[in-house]
Amino acid sequence: MPTLVDSSAHHGHDQADEGAETLPAIQDWIEARLHDPSLCPADIAAAHHISVRQLHRVFRPTGTTVARYIRTRRLEHCRRELGDPLLGAQRIGAIANRWGLPDAAAFSRAFRAAYGQTPTAYRSRAARRPPATGRPGKRLAVGPTGVA
């Protein structure tokens, strides 16, 4: 007599493995489209041929939501560019807009919430910092772990 095998536990394991393999591809896809202010979970899911629900499952192990991941990546890019002295002449709003954050007031609030200061204050402090370079001719000794 044939027996029924409960494949639900095994199937769940496959989904977790699939999610682990899918996450980097999805993150790369998102990264390439951060400039699009309309980027949303539905578009991301559709592009990867999964449901929005499955997309959220894929992100669950990261401890963040898809929308929060997008916002964090956008803010990180903006912060990096605000601290770049070569981009000092660019308007803050232009930088935010380039990274898919066209609403200046919402960008300023989100930046302040994430970094504890306004984009203007961050840029001002970054401009006063000396460049992060070592002294010419001086090398750091690196230990066996690769840490100086």
Side-chain angles (χ1 to χ4, degrees), residues 16 19-28 30 54-70 72-73:
E21 294 170 9
T22 305
L23 182 62
I26 292 172
Q27 289 173 322
D28 288 346
I30 290 170
Q54 180 61 27
L55 176 65
H56 289 294
R57 271 193 220 117
V58 169
F59 269 81
R60 190 175 300 143
T62 69
T64 192
T65 65
V66 178
R68 189 172 298 136
Y69 175 80
I70 293 168
T72 298
R73 294 301 301 138

Side-chain angles (χ1 to χ4, degrees), residues 15 19 29-32 43 45-46 55 61 65 70 75 79 86 89 91 96 124 130 139 143-145:
Q15 283 182 339
W29 191 91
I30 290 170
E31 192 73 25
D43 293 341
L55 176 65
T65 65
I70 293 168
L75 289 170
R79 183 180 59 81
L86 298 176
R91 290 183 11 258
S124 176
R139 292 193 151 191
T145 60

Side-chain angles (χ1 to χ4, degrees), residues 3-19:
T3 58
L4 294 175
V5 177
D6 180 10
S7 65
S8 63
H10 185 265
H11 182 68
H13 179 69
D14 287 346
Q15 283 182 339
D17 289 345
E18 181 183 315

Side-chain angles (χ1 to χ4, degrees), residues 40-101:
C40 67
D43 293 341
I44 298 164
H48 290 87
H49 311 289
I50 60 175
S51 68
V52 173
R53 186 175 186 175
Q54 180 61 27
L55 176 65
H56 289 294
R57 271 193 220 117
V58 169
F59 269 81
R60 190 175 300 143
T62 69
T64 192
T65 65
V66 178
R68 189 172 298 136
Y69 175 80
I70 293 168
R71 183 177 56 246
T72 298
R73 294 301 301 138
R74 285 175 168 162
L75 289 170
E76 287 174 1
H77 282 287
C78 290
R79 183 180 59 81
R80 187 191 72 235
E81 288 191 10
L82 289 170
D84 185 341
L86 298 176
L87 299 176
Q90 286 207 355
R91 290 183 11 258
I92 291 172
I95 291 171
N97 194 50
R98 177 171 40 255
W99 290 106
L101 299 164

Side-chain angles (χ1 to χ4, degrees), residues 83 116-130:
Q117 56 190 324
T118 65
T120 303
Y122 180 84
R123 177 178 256 180
S124 176
R125 285 189 180 96
R128 291 192 307 256
R129 265 187 251 132

